[in-house]
């Protein structure tokens, strides 16, 4: 009977396994193989060389792209964590009605009814040289000339990331906070703890799993993104995803494949570190 159940379990898992093999594992294997190929201006040359990796790991352009990528990832993580924790704390501990919490969540998800590109483009008339922000500051006499850093800059890229991915931090943190036994908070208050001590010693430690899960979402999304950098950076700045996109545009597929492999390895190392801090199975 046990062997029969095991066979049924294998048959039930086989469709998903085949899908993962066909659409995840196989493409990664192909990318890994192509990353060792040679190429010229008009064709790919099947080979086994390490030139693509050698150039990738020694090029100052690659180093700058990775520095920009980690900078964007850290800043986006920091600001989304601050916003996500604050919003989740407010929803979990200051709104006691389930209906009110649902309404607030729906309000938070309204921007997701449109595509990321539309949401990014909506910042352009607001932050542009002749946009609403500069026009208002000039009219109020606060500035003498338009602020150029508001758009097509690192500031604009980070702002777009925070706008796009804050909800990915709110949801897992809120889920963790809703699991906190309220009697623990009451016990801490009865023991003489002030609001800050309750937050530091009770709320934050018990919300760690949600913070880590939200961090995984935000970090992986930012590390692999290039559209946001392309639109909001205006071609002035670049990250690893943008570098790979440019190589694909120039038909330099082996170099792009090598960049993709290195980026994948970098993200996987980050995920291994984060997964060691929380049991992801408890959050699913």
């Amino acid at each position: 009977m046990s062997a029969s159940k095991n066979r049924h379990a294998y048959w039930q898992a086989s469709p998903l396994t085949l899908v993962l093999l066909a659409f995840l594992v196989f493409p990664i294997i192909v990318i890994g193989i192509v990353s060792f190929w040679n190429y010229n201006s008009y064709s790919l040359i099947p080979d086994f060389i390490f030139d693509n990796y050698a150039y990738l790991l020694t090029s100052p352009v690659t180093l700058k792209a990775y520095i920009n990528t980690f900078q964007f990832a850290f800043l986006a993580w920091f600001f989304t964590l601050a916003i996500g924790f604050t919003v989740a704390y407010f929803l979990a501990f200051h709104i006691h009605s389930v209906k009110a919490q649902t309404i607030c969540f729906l309000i938070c998800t309204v921007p997701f009814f449109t595509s990321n590109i539309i949401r990014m483009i909506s910042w352009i008339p607001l932050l542009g040289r002749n946009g609403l922000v500069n026009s208002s500051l000039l009219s109020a006499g606060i500035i003498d000339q338009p602020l150029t850093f508001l758009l097509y800059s690192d500031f604009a890229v980070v702002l777009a990331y925070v706008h796009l991915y804050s909800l990915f931090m709110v949801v897992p943190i809120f889920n963790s906070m809703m699991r906190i036994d309220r009697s623990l908070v009451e016990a801490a208050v009865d023991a003489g703890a002030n609001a800050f001590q309750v937050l530091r010693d009770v709320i934050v430690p018990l919300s760690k799993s949600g913070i880590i899960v939200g961090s995984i979402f935000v970090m992986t999304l930012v590390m692999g993104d290039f559209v946001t950098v392309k639109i909001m950076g205006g071609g002035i700045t670049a990250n690893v995803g943008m570098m790979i996109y440019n190589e694909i545009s120039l038909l330099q597929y082996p170099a792009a494949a090598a960049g993709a492999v290195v980026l994948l390895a970098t993200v996987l190392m980050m995920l291994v570190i984060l997964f060691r801090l929380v049991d992801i199975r408890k959050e699913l």
Side-chain angles (χ1 to χ4, degrees):
M1 182 65 68
S2 177
S4 176
K5 288 184 178 180
N6 287 335
R7 283 196 298 270
H8 286 304
Y10 287 132
W11 279 111
Q12 291 172 352
S14 59
L16 179 59
T17 302
L18 292 175
V19 169
L20 291 176
L21 288 174
F23 295 102
L24 179 63
V25 177
F26 179 72
I28 292 176
I29 293 174
V30 171
I31 291 173
I33 293 173
V34 173
S35 68
F36 292 100
W37 286 10
N38 201 351
Y39 65 95
N40 52 35
S41 301
Y42 51 87
S43 65
L44 302 180
I45 305 172
D47 203 341
F48 190 78
I49 60 174
F50 293 94
D51 294 1
N52 298 317
Y53 288 99
Y55 174 78
L56 184 68
L57 298 176
T58 58
S59 171
V61 176
T62 303
L63 177 61
K64 182 173 176 55
Y66 267 94
I67 291 175
N68 287 340
T69 302
F70 284 119
Q71 176 181 305
F72 291 149
F74 174 78
L75 291 174
W77 168 81
F78 178 80
F79 289 114
T80 55
L81 176 59
I83 295 172
F85 189 90
T86 302
V87 173
Y89 180 81
F90 176 78
L91 292 175
F93 292 97
H94 292 278
I95 298 181
H96 303 290
S97 170
V98 176
K99 182 178 180 180
Q101 289 176 343
T102 303
I103 293 174
C104 289
F105 258 118
L106 289 176
I107 293 174
C108 292
T109 57
V110 166
F112 282 78
F113 296 162
T114 59
S115 70
N116 288 2
I117 296 177
I118 293 176
R119 280 181 282 161
M120 282 186 286
I121 293 176
S122 65
W123 284 104
I124 295 177
L126 185 66
L127 302 177
R129 185 178 181 85
N130 298 316
L132 181 61
V133 173
N134 275 320
S135 299
S136 300
L137 294 175
L138 287 170
S139 300
I142 299 175
I143 57 176
D144 298 327
Q145 56 185 1
L147 301 175
T148 57
F149 73 88
L150 294 179
L151 189 63
Y152 303 137
S153 62
D154 291 351
F155 169 81
V157 173
V158 174
L159 179 64
Y161 280 140
V162 174
H163 175 211
L164 294 175
Y165 302 136
S166 288
L167 190 63
F168 290 94
M169 191 70 78
V170 172
V171 174
I173 296 177
F174 174 76
N175 183 45
S176 295
M177 287 184 176
M178 289 301 293
R179 298 180 184 181
I180 296 175
D181 189 349
R182 296 306 188 266
S183 62
L184 296 175
V185 178
E186 295 174 359
V189 173
D190 293 340
N194 56 37
F196 176 75
Q197 290 172 328
V198 172
L199 182 66
R200 181 192 62 191
D201 299 328
V202 179
I203 305 299
V204 172
L206 295 178
S207 303
K208 184 182 72 171
S209 59
I211 293 173
I212 297 300
V213 172
S215 301
I216 291 171
F217 284 139
V218 173
M219 297 290 281
T220 53
L221 288 170
V222 172
M223 290 290 291
D225 175 85
F226 70 91
V227 177
T228 305
V229 176
K230 182 178 177 62
I231 295 176
M232 301 302 291
I236 299 175
T237 186
N239 66 346
V240 178
M242 192 68 191
M243 183 180 67
I244 295 173
Y245 170 80
N246 290 335
E247 289 171 340
I248 293 175
S249 301
L250 297 173
L251 305 182
Q252 299 174 355
Y253 295 119
V261 171
V262 174
L263 178 61
L264 176 62
T266 304
V267 173
L268 288 177
M269 286 189 291
M270 293 172 56
L271 292 179
V272 168
I273 295 173
L274 292 173
F275 281 141
R276 292 181 65 87
L277 300 176
V278 63
D279 187 357
I280 191 67
R281 291 173 296 181
K282 293 181 180 180
E283 295 298 314
L284 300 177

